[in-house]
Amino acid sequence: MSAVDVQAAITAITQAHREEWARVVAALTKRFGDLDIAEEAAAEAFAIAVERWPADGLPPNPGAWLTTAATRKAIDRIRRENKRDDKQREARLVYDDDPLEPVGAVDDERLRLIFTCCHPALAMEARVALTLRMVGGLTVPEIARAFLVSETAMGQRITRAKAKIKAARIPYRVPSAGDLPARVSGVLAVLFLVFNEGYLSTGPDTDPVRHDLTAEAIRLARLIRALLPADGEVVGLLALMLLIEARRTARVSASGELVTLDEQDRGAWDTALVAEGHRLVRERLVAAAAGVAPGRYQILAAINAVHTCAHDVRDTDWSQVVALYDQLVRLDPSPVIALNRAIAVAELDGPEVALATVDRLEGALSGYHAYHATRADLLRRLGRSQLSRAAYDRAIELAGNTAETAYLTRRRDQLG
Amino acid sequence: MQYLMSVIHDRSDLATSDEEAAIDVFNDRLRAEGHWVFAGGLGVPDPATVIDNRGAQAVVTDGPFLESKEYLAGFWIIEAPDLDVALKLATEGSRACNRKIEVRPFL
């Protein structure tokens, strides 16, 4: 086989891994009722593909080839284990044979897999790890690196989650229509957490933006959108992530410093992602006009759409931003939302008005770096340098992202 | 599949008559829907006695095996096809007895 063909085979395997991993794991989980067997067999099937495809050429249907290879590996393992302890392996996962019609979605095993991995009886960090492994196909070392824990610890986290699913009988199915909105919102929370960890990575030695994580979160959101096309919040989260991702390269300077929205080179934004995000937001605006109340991700996406519509920061429609935050506060009266609303209020009504609002949040947010960074900026604009400096000091102390720390430090040192 | 639903409490008060009435309603439902296996209420752990007969001679210790603020105040053993059903029942049970509930699968 020529070098060109080998390269083509490697590209095909990479693509198959991205497109077929979750499908193979889901199909095997359904057949064998065991996430552990499904995961191991899928990994083995891809390892065989790496050996065989460059030598034998690409199979006509890579997905079917991988599922067949994985199924054989799974049967081998089950036979081995049965021989060893002479005991029929019991399929413990509860599989629901009802068609997925109530959801109004295509019948796809991957949906069951996602809901099982994001089950509310699992700790949030376990849900994140399991989803990235089983649905995203990331390796344990990759996930461990992403969350700055040792491979051993991450391996144990995933093993424990799989063991709980089996022992406590977390079912392998799409939730009933009544439970669906709450369960979908649990899935979206997992994706948003992955995205945010990529977008605002924490840790002194971490890259300020982890593109691998933001890209993976967007890819999974696209998958869930394809599986649950009727859910407005899924569209909202995808749009939100696209509009944030579009600004990624403009957000960190060459010297590794955070560039705030008002100082970003808007020409460096990814116009294709902005256009796609705007299209999705418009889709939800049409639904909202028809009387479907938007959820928090849709409102956050709309706020980001207003920002990305302005070619110059001075063109930003701040009254629209504040109106959207008012809508969001009614849905989610949390102090973090109130803080973000105050930042928009500063542009509309001035820093004095905003500062009064921000100061009222001290009790709830005194341990949150963005609270102090916001105060520092407002105090700076009001010419109260000494108080501003103290607020920057506190923000720098609490900030975990390297680009943010660099930005805050420069701003503090520029104070007169 | 059977699950143990442990009732967790941190004060010495017993169930009020309202709570008892709500528990009765919940128990009737468990029986009617085929989830009922067994249930019982426990008082404070103070009168507990621990026996350890693993050695040459049984050792008797006065008091609970674990000193903690929270204690087991009662339990249900239920039959449920999977954790989703068990968690739904536990949600209702917690409301009925007005206490926290831990759900644990039997082996």
Side-chain angles (χ1 to χ4, degrees), chain A residues 94 119 121 167-171 173 179 183, chain B residues 1 3 81-85 87-88 105-106:
Chain A
V94 188
H119 196 275
R169 268 216 192 198
I170 288 180
R173 69 164 163 248
D179 296 334
R183 292 288 305 278
Chain B
M1 179 91 181
Y3 295 87
D82 60 56
L83 188 66
D84 279 357
V85 176
L87 291 181
K88 269 219 171 71
F106 279 89

Side-chain angles (χ1 to χ4, degrees), chain A residues 6 20 39 79 115 123 129 133 140 182 188 202 212 216 223 226 297 301 307-308 323 332 367 374 384 391 412:
Chain A
V6 169
E20 304 293 346
E39 178 200 1
R79 286 206 183 115
F115 280 112
R133 176 74 193 121
V140 172
L188 299 184
T202 47
D212 49 347
E216 184 59 24
L223 170 64
Y297 293 121
H307 284 305
T308 43
D332 175 8
T374 305
R384 293 150 75 176
R412 180 192 62 193

Side-chain angles (χ1 to χ4, degrees), chain B residues 11-83:
Chain B
R11 292 190 312 268
S12 58
D13 54 319
L14 297 173
T16 65
S17 54
D18 281 356
E19 287 161 1
E20 274 179 17
I23 292 167
D24 284 343
V25 172
F26 177 63
N27 287 342
D28 287 345
R29 215 204 104 183
L30 289 179
R31 287 194 190 93
E33 294 179 5
H35 296 298
W36 174 273
V37 179
F38 191 74
L42 295 163
V44 292
D46 206 47
T49 311
V50 176
I51 306 273
D52 184 353
N53 194 21
R54 291 171 300 178
Q57 199 179 338
V59 179
V60 179
T61 314
D62 180 15
F65 80 101
L66 196 69
E67 289 286 353
S68 73
K69 195 168 148 43
E70 292 183 318
Y71 65 93
L72 182 71
F75 62 91
W76 279 276
I77 296 170
I78 56 157
E79 184 69 49
D82 60 56
L83 188 66

Side-chain angles (χ1 to χ4, degrees), chain A residues 332-370:
Chain A
D332 175 8
S334 74
V336 172
I337 300 289
L339 178 71
N340 288 320
R341 183 184 172 278
I343 294 170
V345 166
E347 303 303 323
L348 200 62
D349 301 327
E352 188 89 58
V353 179
L355 185 62
T357 311
V358 171
D359 280 342
R360 279 198 295 273
L361 301 171
E362 192 193 352
L365 296 180
S366 62
Y368 182 45
H369 76 278

Side-chain angles (χ1 to χ4, degrees), chain A residues 259-315:
Chain A
V259 184
T260 50
L261 190 55
D262 53 316
E263 292 182 332
Q264 282 174 18
D265 170 13
R266 296 185 177 219
W269 289 353
D270 185 323
T271 49
L273 293 181
V274 169
E276 191 188 353
H278 285 181
R279 206 163 47 239
L280 295 174
V281 169
R282 271 197 301 275
E283 186 185 313
R284 294 318 303 164
L285 285 175
V286 171
V292 185
R296 61 188 305 259
Y297 293 121
Q298 291 168 73
I299 299 172
L300 284 168
I303 291 169
N304 277 272
V306 175
H307 284 305
T308 43
C309 271
H311 295 291
D312 188 298
V313 64
R314 285 166 300 192
D315 300 335

Side-chain angles (χ1 to χ4, degrees), chain A residues 167-393:
Chain A
R169 268 216 192 198
I170 288 180
Y172 187 58
R173 69 164 163 248
V174 174
S176 62
D179 296 334
L180 199 61
R183 292 288 305 278
V184 169
S185 109
V187 171
L188 299 184
V190 168
L191 296 194
F192 201 36
L193 200 145
V194 171
F195 183 84
N196 279 331
E197 187 49 40
Y199 189 64
L200 259 185
S201 308
T202 47
D205 303 316
T206 321
D207 286 341
V209 179
R210 302 281 317 277
H211 175 56
D212 49 347
L213 285 180
T214 57
E216 184 59 24
I218 288 173
R219 196 176 72 87
L220 292 175
R222 285 189 198 281
L223 170 64
I224 292 167
R225 180 173 185 237
L227 299 175
L228 293 169
D231 193 298
E233 278 295 84
V234 177
V235 178
L237 178 63
L238 177 59
L240 173 63
M241 296 197 294
L242 290 171
L243 293 174
I244 298 174
E245 178 77 355
R247 310 197 294 261
R248 178 167 58 86
T249 49
R251 204 170 147 274
V252 179
S253 72
S255 60
E257 192 181 293
L258 176 83
V259 184
T260 50
L261 190 55
D262 53 316
E263 292 182 332
Q264 282 174 18
D265 170 13
R266 296 185 177 219
W269 289 353
D270 185 323
T271 49
L273 293 181
V274 169
E276 191 188 353
H278 285 181
R279 206 163 47 239
L280 295 174
V281 169
R282 271 197 301 275
E283 186 185 313
R284 294 318 303 164
L285 285 175
V286 171
V292 185
R296 61 188 305 259
Y297 293 121
Q298 291 168 73
I299 299 172
L300 284 168
I303 291 169
N304 277 272
V306 175
H307 284 305
T308 43
C309 271
H311 295 291
D312 188 298
V313 64
R314 285 166 300 192
D315 300 335
T316 307
D317 185 349
W318 289 107
S319 63
Q320 181 73 25
V321 174
V322 173
L324 286 164
Y325 270 117
D326 286 339
Q327 211 179 337
L328 191 54
V329 166
R330 281 196 292 276
L331 218 59
D332 175 8
S334 74
V336 172
I337 300 289
L339 178 71
N340 288 320
R341 183 184 172 278
I343 294 170
V345 166
E347 303 303 323
L348 200 62
D349 301 327
E352 188 89 58
V353 179
L355 185 62
T357 311
V358 171
D359 280 342
R360 279 198 295 273
L361 301 171
E362 192 193 352
L365 296 180
S366 62
Y368 182 45
H369 76 278
Y371 163 78
H372 297 283
T374 305
R375 273 195 85 234
D377 187 58
L378 295 171
L379 288 162
R380 177 187 62 80
R381 285 154 74 178
L382 291 164
R384 293 150 75 176
S385 298
Q386 219 166 354
L387 286 171
S388 174
R389 184 183 305 279
Y392 274 121
D393 284 341

